Amino acid sequence: MVKQLVRKREVCEAEELEVFTEQSNYENLLMQLQSCNKDVAASCMKRQRQGEGKSDTEDDEDDCSESSSALEEEVEEEEEEEEGKSYVGISCFDSSHIKLLFLVSFSRILNIVVTDDESRRSPSLGNSMYEPVLNDETEDDADSSDTDQENELEFRSHSGPSTSDITSSFNKHMERKLSEGEVENFLKMKWKYTWAVPAVGMPNCKWSGTGECFLKELDVKPSSYDLKLRLYEHWLDTYKSSGGTDFHSSRQRFFFSLCNSYRDILYCNKKPFYLKGLEEDSSIMDSYIMHSLNHVFKTRDLITKNDSKVAKHQDCAEILSGEKFLDHGFTRPKVLILLPLASIALRVIKRLVHLTPSANKVTVEYLDRLFKDFGNGDDGKNDDTGELSLNDQSSSSQKSSKPSDFQALFGGNNEDLFMIGIKFTRKSIKLFSDFYSSDIIVASPLGLITKLGEIENNKEKDVDYLSSIEVLIIDHADIIAMQNWSHVNTVIEHMNKIPSKQHGTDVMRIRQWYLDGHARFYRQSVILGFHSNPDINGFFNRYCNNFEGKVKLLCEYKGILPKVVLRVRQVYERFDSDSLADVDDARLEYFSKKVFPKINESSQGGVMLFISSYFEFVRVRNFLKAQNASFCLLGEYTKQSDISRARNWFFEGKRKIMLYTERAHFYHRYKIRGIQNLIMYSPPERKEFYPEIVNMLEESQNMTCRVLFSPFDQLRLERIVGTVPAKKMTTSEKKVFIFC
């Protein structure tokens, strides 16, 4: 085959400039490869000697003569196709991307295979992303992440993969090849939900998905549910020790199997731990943690197996040229978990450590730093289950007048700017590891946005560690929506891109679909929250394009009106809008013509305007300023001194109107006194806030609440009044609805 490559080059040289438009780039890159890697230099020398009619030793020729003679013609055709693929659409990349693709293409043409020992001596090309990066690291990284009873890391000569490997969801997903037609369909983002089945254990809920219904397959009870054996046994022991009796029928097992299907998941009816849903929340958390560990460990084991094969057959390039050895991404991190608060991140990381088998966590590095940076003092140091911290937070704030759910959520570290890498070796877990040597990254959206901002100020920095994320988990999405959901959109737009640098990976073993720019179609996205909204739904529809398909939970709500303990006359007034883009203008117009004139004419004060969105808050504020109205502000960006002054003015009647935002209530849960009339400019996003706000009318004389809504508010409306009434209210010819 090498002689054929030489003949091909001689033909190209005869055609001179007509063919060799890229000659200088080729020679320059080849010289760079030779200078930084002995194997590249040796292969090029061997190629040159053969071109001059010289031959290597007979022993070297005999080692591969049988395989090369049988596969010579086939390999040449595959390499020509590979070379053609590498240059398709190359103009869309910058110079750094072109260089990386050239490295991959030329390295594969030369059939260079770098073993573990050689990679340590040639960091520029062959340095594996799973090698130690610090001098004080042990040799654990070079070993397997697991030594299960099935001996997964044992080299099986040239025999085919085992039955478990063939049926593994991990292998099926990662080895799938997408056709050009499939990619074009994914780019169109036209997903059709073709099936719906009742959700077991969740009344009035159903699962809906694309493609074929697969939920019946999840009820089949395999030996270990496609989990690595050691992970499965440890999880089962943990489940039984917590009082569980039927793991197969448990919520943990079902949701893990759902995650293990590698489909995109939207599950926005999860009762959170701070709203008396600790058991449900913990079950779902355990499931996605086990899925993350399973994915990371299987990735490591696959690479270690292939490293073993490479080491045994490094002198026979023909055997190692197949696609089964393409097992790398651009960088090492494979799982990204987005969380809103440091206290929640602490809870997840503690549980992740607890669910890791004992053999894989003989040492947990920087655990003290974790509690220092993410906890409150010695919060939870004597426990790694991730559960005691909740009790600690509640007990530390028992004297607070805030609601119990507020105490549970905000009783810990409320920092929303954090980012931590977690690295697994054979016997240890390293927290706060370098992002490029980490397996899992736990971060807040704001933490990643800050890293993106640093790139603009320093061009030498990058976020290429997001280029090979294969599992994205967004937990407590409803809380992130209260912070700033646009940060999540920005982060996802920078994910699964061709990196700007090589970052030490073995370019010969990068999966082809990474090089083709198709990584986003292989990334699984799991979105979890208490409720959904248009931003979350839009994100799921636009950015979650996993080729496996999508599944989401649909629920009917009973409403929360019975929790209004006062006898309040609740008047819902509908205004119509032609489109979603016009709804904000239509809302302000209705308020200015139908609502504000009555407020302005009345001499009574104590009018609270509750506003869900900050942008609506700004528009109403500007309108009231233009009308010279008497009002005060209580928003999420209002200074504490101004808040105290505004509350006093409103209570004493010195200001007629108070503007109060939902985010301000979310972060502070103020109890406003002096309310005589309540007007909800828009329904609250969080349904539990509705009875809280309405019950503030306890000092009012007329007990009236007016709620403005449009058909585009149906998601929020159905959580408050119920799904069935909400549908009638948005489609009926009547526009005014009264609840008492």
Side-chain angles (χ1 to χ4, degrees), residues 185-196:
N185 290 333
F186 296 147
L187 292 173
K188 294 177 182 178
M189 295 185 293
K190 294 182 179 179
W191 297 92
K192 293 183 179 180
Y193 291 86
T194 56
W195 56 268

Side-chain angles (χ1 to χ4, degrees), residues 104-153:
V104 176
S105 179
F106 294 150
S107 298
R108 288 182 181 173
I109 289 176
L110 293 171
N111 283 326
I112 306 167
V113 179
V114 184
T115 64
D116 288 343
D117 293 336
E118 293 165 338
S119 66
R120 296 187 181 93
R121 298 193 299 268
S122 53
S124 298
L125 176 65
N127 187 23
S128 172
M129 65 180 69
Y130 284 87
E131 289 301 315
V133 294
L134 299 176
N135 293 332
D136 58 350
E137 285 280 0
T138 66
E139 296 180 357
D140 292 336
D141 257 2
D143 296 329
S144 115
S145 63
D146 206 340
T147 53
D148 291 338
Q149 297 177 6
E150 63 267 30
N151 293 324
E152 290 187 338
L153 299 184

